[in-house]
Amino acid sequence: MSSPAEQYARARERAARAATPAGRFTQSLGFELDPFQLEAIQAVQDGAGVLVAAPTGAGKTVVGEFAVALALETGRKAFYTTPIKALSNQKYHDLVERHGSANVGLLTGDSSVNGEAPVVVMTTEVLRNMMYSSSPTLTGLGFVVMDEVHYLADRWRGAVWEEVIIHLPPSVQVVSLSATVSNAEEFGDWLRAVRGGGNPESLRVIVSEHRPVPLWQHMMVGTQMLDLFVTEGAGPGSTRVNPELLQRISQAERSASSGWSREDAGGPRGRRGEPRGGGRDGRGRGRDGGRGRGGGERGRSDSRRRYDDAVPVLERGALPGGVASRAQVIDRLDREGLLPAITFIFSRAGCDAAVAQLLGRGARLVPEEDGRRVRDLVQQRVAEVDPADLGVLGYHDFVEGLARGYAAHHAGMLPLFREIVEELFTHGRLRAVFATETLALGINMPARTVVLEKLVKFNGETHAPVTPAEYTQLTGRAGRRGIDVEGHGVVLWRRGVDPVDVAGLASTRTYPLRSSFRPSSNMAVNLVAQYGRDRAHELLQSSFAQFQADRSVVGLTTRVRENETALEGYAEAMRCDRGDFREYGRMRHELGELEKKLARQRQHERRSDIARSLEELAPGQVIQLDGGRKGTMGVVIRGTKRASAAPEPTVLTSNGSVQRLTVAGFKDVPEVIGTLRVPTGFNSRSPRARKDLASALRDTVREPRPGPGRGGGADEESGTAYPHRGEARVDELRAQLRAHPCHGCPEREDHARWAARWWQLRRETDDLQRRVAERTHTVARTFERICDLLAGLGYLTPDGQQVTPEGQRLRRIYTELDLVVAESLRRGTWRRLTPADLAAVVSSLIHEARGDEVLDARMPTVEVEEALGEMGAIWREVLSLKSEHRLEGDREPDPGIAWMVHRWASGRGLDEVLRDGGMSAGDFVRRCKQVVDLLGQVAQAAEPEVARAARRASDAMLRGVVAADRLD
C-alpha cells in the first residue's frame, strides 16, 4: 500500500498532466486512450515528429486530431492530408463537428471551402502543388498530418508523399499515420534523416500490433461457418488450422466430385440460392419470425440453433461445388448475428449482381420504417441530379436495395451514390455492402464481419493472388471499436482454396513499405526553379527510394566478396594437366551462349514477321487462330490504330467473342484464309451483332483445323528459315574445341562441370556488381538525365541550371503526360479548338482503358482528329528522346472517351453520352473530373486563347452528375 506522500505525488502528477494540452485533449474525448495513443500524443506535445503504425481501426487518427487541436491552441496552422477525396470529405466533416466550420477548411481537386482557415483538410497533391508554387497559405504552418502515409508505396501517386516530406520546412512537425508495416523502423530512420538531420529525438516511431477488437478468422464450407484456427485453449492469435475445417472440406470435395445439382433448380428466377425448405420468408425474417440477431458471444440466436438441427452434416451451398450463394452467405451471417458485413467481390459486375440477387429474392435486412427514412434521405441527396439521368444511373434498384438494407460500393458507381452508401453504412443504416477492394483504402467504414468471396483479384495487369498485406487490410475492416466485442473475417471455400494458404495469409505479419519514388519532368523543373539544379540533386539523394537502395547495396557488396572467394576455389577445381582448361571452358561457354543468342535472333525475326503481318491486317480479312478459347478463326473488325506502339488488331472469333490480337498470341505468321464483309457501323458491344457476324463467319468461310499458322514450327529448332552469319562462328568454335589439348582429357567432363559452375557464378557476380552500380545515386542520376532532356527541349537553359519561360509553363502541369501537354501548348496544337473539342482532346491524356476494355475511338470532329494526330506525333518524339536519355517512356494518349466527353461538353444528356459507350456512369464521372482538373492546369499555363477555351470547357463539363457530389 502506497504512503500518503506517494499518493499525493501521483495526484499532483495527474493534475499537472491534466493542465497540459495533451491532458485537456484526452479529457475531452470521453473514452480511455490506448498506451500507443498516449505515447504518440505526448511526443507531439514535446515537439517531436511521430510515425504511428497500427492496425486498421486501432485509432491512429486520434494522434492526428491532437495535432490539429494543439495547432489551434498555440495559434498555428495544421494541414490534414489524405490520399483520396472521399477520406478528405469524411475527415473535414469530423473536424468541423469538433472545431466548428469557421476553423476548418477543405481543399481537394474540385472543392475549395474556407481554404485560409487555421485547419485545412486536403489531398496530398494539393499540398505538394502549394509548396511548388510557394503559396502564401503555407505561412504559419506548424503541423502536417499525413494520414495513410503508407500510400507512398503506390505505383502511380506514391512519389507525392515523399516530395512533401522532403520539401516541408524543418519547422513543421510531421505526424505520419500508417498501417502496420514490418519496416517501420527503417521508414522512421529515413524520416529522422530528412526531417531532423539524423537527430534521434526529432522523431518517435510508435508501433502497435494490438487490435482493440480481436479478429476471428473463419471459412464458410457450403453454408456452414467454421473457425480457421484451433481455438480450444487459444486466443485469436492461434495459427494451427482447425482439423474439423479440414475434415469438412474433404467431405465437400468428395461430395462435389460425385456430382452436383442445384438445390433450388427449377425455382423462380431471383430466389435461387435459397436453401430448400424455407429458412427466410422473403421479407428477411427467420423461421421464428424474429430478426435472427440474438445475443451470446457471437450473437447466435435460438433460430440459428434450430436451423443447424434441421440440416444434414454438410450444409451444401446452392452454387456449383456446393459453394454458398451470396444470398445464403448473408442469410447465414444474419442468423449468426454477424451483420453488418462487407463482402469483398473483386468485380464491379459481381457487386451489382449481388444486390440484384438479394432484390430478386425479396430480401430485407432492415425494418420497413427504417427503409422509408432511408428513401427520404436519398431523395434529398440526389435532388441536384437531373431526374432524366437517374434512370440511366440505375437509381431505382439502388434506392430499393438501400431501403432494404444492402448496397454495392465500387469505383464504377456514381461518386454521389458511393458517398450515400458510405454515409448510411457508417451510421448503421445498412446491414450488408458488396464492395471491391477500393473500400479498404482509408474510408472509415468498419463492420462486424468481412467476407472474401475469392482470394484472387485483378491488379490492373493480371489476375493475381491476394497478398498478406491486402488480406490484412481487407479483413481489418471487421470489428467496430466501442460496438463489437470481436470482429470476424470469413473466406468462402471453393475448390482450389487451400485452408493452409488462407491461414498463411491470415497469420503473416511481414508487410514491408517500399518506395515508388521516381522524378518526373514537372518535378524536375519545379525543383530547379525552387532550389537550383545542384541543391535539387542533393535533395533527391535524400528520398526514401535512395535511402532503401543505399541500404540494399550493403548486402550486395558482401555477396560480391563471397562470390569472388568461391570463384578462386572453382578455378582451382577445374585445373587440367593437359592445358589451360579455363581457356577451354571459355570457348565452351562462348559456344553455348552464341547458340542461345542465335536461337533468340531467329525467334525475334519470327516475331517481327508476325508483327508486320498483324499490322497489315484490314477489316474483313479472316485469319486462322490457334483453336483454343479464341476459336479456330476470326474476322478482323478493327485494324491496328495509327501510330500504335504495337500492332493489336481486334477480331471477332468464330465462337462470337471479341479478342485483341497480340504478337505473343501467335507461334507463327497468321494466315489469311478468306474475307467477310463487316457491316457498316458494326457494334462489337452488341451481343446480337456479335452473334450474327460470328454465324456469317462460320457459314461463309470453311473452318480450318486447329493448329499453328502457315510455316509450321520446325524452323525455330532447325534454324533453316532464318540463317545467320553467326553460324560460321559456331562452326569455328566447335573446331577450336576439338583441337584444344584439354578436349582429349579423360576427366574433361568433371573439369567442365567445375568450369560451368565458375561461369555461372561469374555471371551472377557480374550481375551483382552491375546492380550495385545501378543502385548507387539512382534517383539523382535519373533527375540529371531528365534535366539534360529538358535543357535540350528548351524548358531549362542550355546549362540546365535555370528554368526558361517554357519551363515555367511546364511547372503548372501535373499529369503523367506532362511533356505532351507542354509541347502541345508550345506548338499551338490546341489553338482554334472549341471548348468541347479541347475537352475531348484533353481526355486522351487522362484516360487509360481498364484491363481488356475496348472502346471505339470515334472522332467527334475533324479538328479533334487532327489535334490528336499531332499529339500522337509529339508523344512519339518525346518517347524517342526519353529512350535516347535512358529514361522510362510514358503511355500513349488514349482517345477512347473523346466522343463521350465531347458530347457531354456540348450539353448532351447522360443517356445519350453513355449509350453504346461501354463505360459505367461512375467511371465516366471520374474521368470527367480528371479532365476538369487538367483543363484547370491548362487554363493557368496556356496563352489567352487556349486558356479561355479551357475555362469554358471546364464550366461546360461541371454540370449535372459531374458536379452533383461536390461538397456544398
Side-chain angles (χ1 to χ4, degrees):
M1 184 173 178
S2 58
S3 66
E6 290 172 331
Q7 294 176 10
Y8 177 71
R10 281 199 297 271
R12 289 198 60 177
E13 185 180 340
R14 285 195 300 270
R17 189 165 53 244
T20 65
R24 287 190 290 273
F25 175 79
T26 303
Q27 289 178 341
S28 71
L29 295 176
F31 55 85
E32 290 291 322
L33 293 181
D34 290 338
F36 86 91
Q37 295 168 318
L38 292 170
E39 182 183 357
I41 286 172
Q42 185 61 49
V44 174
Q45 180 175 271
D46 293 343
V50 292
L51 167 62
V52 182
T56 300
K60 299 183 291 287
T61 55
V62 168
V63 183
E65 289 166 2
F66 171 68
V68 168
L70 186 59
L72 289 172
E73 187 168 330
T74 57
R76 289 177 285 176
K77 285 185 178 180
F79 289 170
Y80 197 111
T81 69
T82 71
I84 52 178
K85 181 198 161 198
L87 189 55
S88 292
N89 287 348
Q90 193 173 66
K91 184 51 63 177
Y92 168 74
H93 288 299
D94 291 345
L95 293 176
V96 164
E97 186 175 348
R98 183 173 181 87
H99 301 292
S101 58
N103 288 320
V104 184
L106 175 70
L107 293 174
T108 64
D110 58 355
S111 299
S112 177
V113 180
N114 197 15
E116 295 300 323
V119 177
V120 184
V121 182
M122 62 184 68
T123 51
T124 316
E125 281 86 353
V126 170
L127 178 54
R128 186 271 314 270
N129 298 352
M130 273 187 183
M131 294 187 334
Y132 280 156
S133 63
S134 300
S135 170
T137 305
L138 295 168
T139 304
L141 181 62
F143 300 88
V144 167
V145 180
M146 304 200 75
D147 204 351
E148 307 287 338
V149 74
H150 53 271
Y151 243 81
L152 68 76
D154 183 77
R155 178 180 175 187
W156 306 114
R157 300 172 56 210
V160 178
W161 274 256
E162 290 192 47
E163 288 180 79
V164 169
I165 291 169
I166 292 170
H167 302 313
L168 275 173
S171 59
V172 176
Q173 276 181 256
V174 177
V175 177
S176 302
L177 310 178
S178 170
T180 306
V181 292
S182 57
N183 60 336
E185 288 296 339
E186 178 189 40
F187 186 43
D189 288 344
W190 173 69
L191 287 171
R192 289 189 191 97
V194 296
R195 302 294 309 158
N199 178 5
E201 301 301 319
S202 65
L203 179 117
R204 294 282 302 279
V205 176
I206 298 163
V207 178
S208 173
E209 295 190 5
H210 171 71
R211 279 183 55 98
V213 180
L215 176 66
W216 291 84
Q217 306 278 355
H218 314 276
M219 289 190 73
M220 189 174 284
V221 185
T223 61
Q224 189 171 13
M225 199 164 74
L226 298 125
D227 292 330
L228 174 61
F229 298 114
V230 172
T231 56
E232 185 100 19
S238 172
T239 58
R240 187 161 69 89
V241 177
N242 183 6
E244 184 185 358
L245 171 63
L246 297 173
Q247 183 181 356
R248 291 302 174 91
I249 287 176
S250 178
Q251 183 184 357
E253 287 175 334
R254 289 195 302 271
S255 177
S257 62
S258 65
W260 174 88
S261 62
R262 292 190 73 109
E263 291 186 12
D264 57 359
R269 186 179 180 89
R271 289 185 62 82
R272 294 181 178 181
E274 182 175 339
R276 182 181 295 169
R280 299 187 73 84
D281 64 358
R283 294 187 299 278
R285 297 186 179 276
R287 292 179 184 174
D288 60 353
R291 293 296 309 158
R293 299 191 191 94
E297 185 185 355
R298 277 168 46 183
R300 292 171 175 162
S301 64
D302 291 340
S303 66
R304 183 256 179 191
R305 288 193 290 273
R306 287 197 295 275
Y307 181 79
D308 282 348
D309 293 340
V311 296
V313 173
L314 177 64
E315 305 173 74
R316 295 181 57 110
L319 300 181
V323 178
S325 69
R326 288 157 183 161
Q328 287 178 313
V329 171
I330 296 301
D331 184 72
R332 167 57 72 194
L333 295 178
D334 197 13
R335 291 175 180 281
E336 295 270 9
L338 297 181
L339 295 181
I342 299 171
T343 300
F344 284 108
I345 303 172
F346 302 123
S347 157
R348 299 176 179 184
C351 295
D352 293 335
V355 172
Q357 288 157 15
L358 291 186
L359 286 174
R361 68 189 293 272
R364 175 178 291 281
L365 303 178
V366 297
E368 292 188 17
E369 181 58 33
D370 288 354
R372 281 193 290 272
R373 285 195 288 267
V374 167
R375 285 182 187 275
D376 293 341
L377 184 145
V378 175
Q379 287 173 0
Q380 294 173 16
R381 292 295 304 275
V382 301
E384 297 179 31
V385 181
D386 188 336
D389 293 340
L390 291 177
V392 184
L393 298 168
Y395 170 75
H396 301 293
D397 282 348
F398 171 70
V399 74
E400 182 65 26
L402 292 176
R404 290 174 173 270
Y406 43 88
H409 185 288
H410 56 75
M413 294 170 61
L414 189 70
L416 175 61
F417 285 10
R418 287 204 309 275
E419 290 176 12
I420 290 172
V421 172
E422 292 161 10
E423 179 181 331
L424 291 175
F425 193 82
T426 302
H427 288 88
R429 304 177 80 171
L430 291 180
R431 306 292 291 168
V433 168
F434 302 94
T436 56
E437 71 272 21
T438 53
L439 183 60
L441 301 179
I443 303 169
N444 184 24
M445 279 183 63
R448 180 170 295 170
T449 304
V450 164
V451 179
L452 274 69
E453 273 203 353
K454 295 181 179 179
L455 295 176
V456 175
K457 73 182 188 70
F458 189 72
N459 62 11
E461 297 176 355
T462 184
H463 286 88
V466 170
T467 66
E470 290 167 336
Y471 183 91
T472 299
Q473 188 173 41
L474 294 168
T475 56
R477 293 283 163 206
R480 298 164 297 174
R481 187 168 189 173
I483 301 174
D484 298 320
V485 176
E486 56 195 29
H488 299 271
V490 181
V491 175
L492 297 193
W493 175 83
R494 61 186 70 237
R495 299 193 76 172
V497 175
D498 187 341
V500 176
D501 293 339
V502 179
L505 287 173
S507 58
T508 299
R509 292 291 177 265
T510 303
Y511 324 119
L513 187 62
R514 299 288 178 226
S515 172
S516 61
F517 183 85
R518 64 187 181 101
S520 66
S521 300
N522 169 272
M523 186 193 301
V525 290
N526 273 298
L527 288 175
V528 172
Q530 290 276 90
Y531 306 104
R533 183 166 175 172
D534 295 339
R535 174 65 179 142
H537 180 105
E538 294 175 14
L539 284 171
L540 289 176
Q541 289 283 64
S542 63
S543 69
F544 188 44
Q546 191 60 58
F547 185 84
Q548 289 188 309
D550 290 345
R551 284 198 166 187
S552 68
V553 165
V554 175
L556 291 178
T557 52
T558 301
R559 288 172 59 190
V560 168
R561 287 195 299 270
E562 292 171 351
N563 286 2
E564 294 289 358
T565 302
L567 285 168
E568 293 174 6
Y570 289 168
E572 182 63 29
M574 68 178 173
R575 187 184 300 277
C576 178
D577 58 4
R578 297 200 175 193
D580 185 355
F581 203 93
R582 181 179 293 193
E583 174 63 18
Y584 182 81
R586 183 197 61 75
M587 289 191 294
R588 228 170 122 143
H589 177 74
E590 182 183 349
L591 175 61
E593 292 298 309
L594 184 56
E595 287 175 333
K596 292 176 187 176
K597 178 182 177 182
L598 291 175
R600 287 194 298 269
Q601 288 177 342
R602 286 192 289 270
Q603 183 183 25
H604 175 73
E605 291 181 5
R606 181 176 286 105
R607 289 172 64 87
S608 297
D609 287 347
I610 294 171
R612 213 163 21 247
S613 176
L614 291 179
E615 195 170 5
E616 292 170 356
L617 288 177
Q621 289 184 315
V622 179
I623 63 170
Q624 181 176 351
L625 301 176
D626 61 12
R629 64 183 179 86
K630 296 179 181 176
T632 56
M633 59 182 176
V635 58
V636 180
I637 57 176
R638 270 191 302 277
T640 298
K641 291 190 294 185
R642 282 192 310 170
S644 178
E648 293 185 351
T650 304
V651 300
L652 180 79
T653 67
S654 52
N655 60 17
S657 66
V658 175
Q659 299 283 342
R660 183 179 285 171
L661 302 182
T662 63
V663 173
F666 289 87
K667 297 178 181 177
D668 214 328
V669 176
E671 182 176 2
V672 177
I673 58 175
T675 58
L676 176 68
R677 190 183 72 81
V678 178
T680 304
F682 172 74
N683 181 8
S684 61
R685 294 189 172 274
S686 166
R688 178 174 292 277
R690 293 199 303 268
K691 182 179 178 182
D692 291 345
L693 187 58
S695 177
L697 173 61
R698 293 191 297 270
D699 293 342
T700 305
V701 182
R702 182 178 178 183
E703 193 145 356
R705 294 179 184 176
R710 66 169 187 257
D715 297 336
E716 186 171 352
E717 299 300 325
S718 66
T720 56
Y722 298 95
H724 282 273
R725 289 191 300 272
E727 291 173 0
R729 176 61 178 162
V730 168
D731 294 338
E732 181 184 342
L733 283 169
R734 286 174 177 163
Q736 290 177 358
L737 282 172
R738 286 192 293 270
H740 196 281
C742 292
H743 191 68
C745 176
E747 298 180 0
R748 181 187 69 190
E749 292 309 310
D750 286 340
H751 296 328
R753 278 191 289 273
W754 285 109
R757 292 175 188 173
W758 189 92
W759 280 106
Q760 181 179 354
L761 189 58
R762 179 73 266 169
R763 187 166 53 247
E764 291 176 4
T765 305
D766 290 344
D767 182 60
L768 287 172
Q769 291 173 328
R770 177 186 56 78
R771 287 162 62 188
V772 168
E774 286 178 350
R775 294 187 185 188
T776 305
H777 310 305
T778 49
V779 175
R781 200 161 51 233
T782 301
F783 169 74
E784 293 298 333
R785 291 171 185 166
I786 292 174
C787 287
D788 290 343
L789 168 66
L790 295 177
L793 288 171
Y795 293 101
L796 297 177
T797 54
D799 60 2
Q801 296 297 324
Q802 292 182 313
V803 178
T804 65
E806 290 298 332
Q808 295 295 340
R809 172 179 289 171
L810 179 58
R811 289 186 67 190
R812 301 184 181 95
I813 306 298
Y814 301 97
T815 183
E816 183 184 356
L817 296 171
D818 45 15
L819 276 180
V820 175
V821 175
E823 285 293 297
S824 297
L825 291 173
R826 179 159 72 174
R827 301 183 191 189
T829 302
W830 298 342
R831 288 181 192 146
R832 297 182 298 280
L833 290 179
T834 66
D837 288 346
L838 182 58
V841 164
V842 165
S843 74
S844 71
L845 299 168
I846 57 91
H847 177 63
E848 192 170 3
R850 294 177 60 245
D852 298 329
E853 181 181 71
V854 179
L855 298 178
D856 293 327
R858 289 180 286 177
M859 296 296 106
T861 65
V862 173
E863 289 76 15
V864 168
E865 185 170 15
E866 290 176 350
L868 286 171
E870 290 183 38
M871 289 164 62
I874 291 170
W875 171 78
R876 287 190 295 277
E877 287 180 32
V878 171
L879 189 68
S880 176
L881 286 169
K882 286 196 170 187
S883 177
E884 290 177 15
H885 287 80
R886 290 179 293 162
L887 294 168
E888 186 178 339
D890 301 315
R891 63 173 180 82
E892 185 178 6
D894 186 342
I897 60 170
W899 179 275
M900 288 186 284
V901 168
H902 191 277
R903 280 179 167 183
W904 182 256
S906 299
R908 305 291 181 87
L910 186 65
D911 182 26
E912 183 180 352
V913 169
L914 296 181
R915 190 184 303 141
D916 300 327
M919 176 173 275
S920 70
D923 283 333
F924 176 71
V925 170
R926 189 169 65 257
R927 290 284 187 258
C928 284
K929 288 180 176 295
Q930 291 170 333
V931 169
V932 169
D933 183 52
L934 185 49
L935 284 169
Q937 297 172 30
V938 170
Q940 290 185 334
E943 59 188 30
E945 180 184 354
V946 176
R948 279 194 300 272
R951 284 190 289 271
R952 290 171 183 166
S954 179
D955 292 341
M957 295 288 292
L958 271 176
R959 63 182 180 86
V961 292
V962 176
D965 71 325
R966 300 179 76 197
L967 195 69
D968 293 327

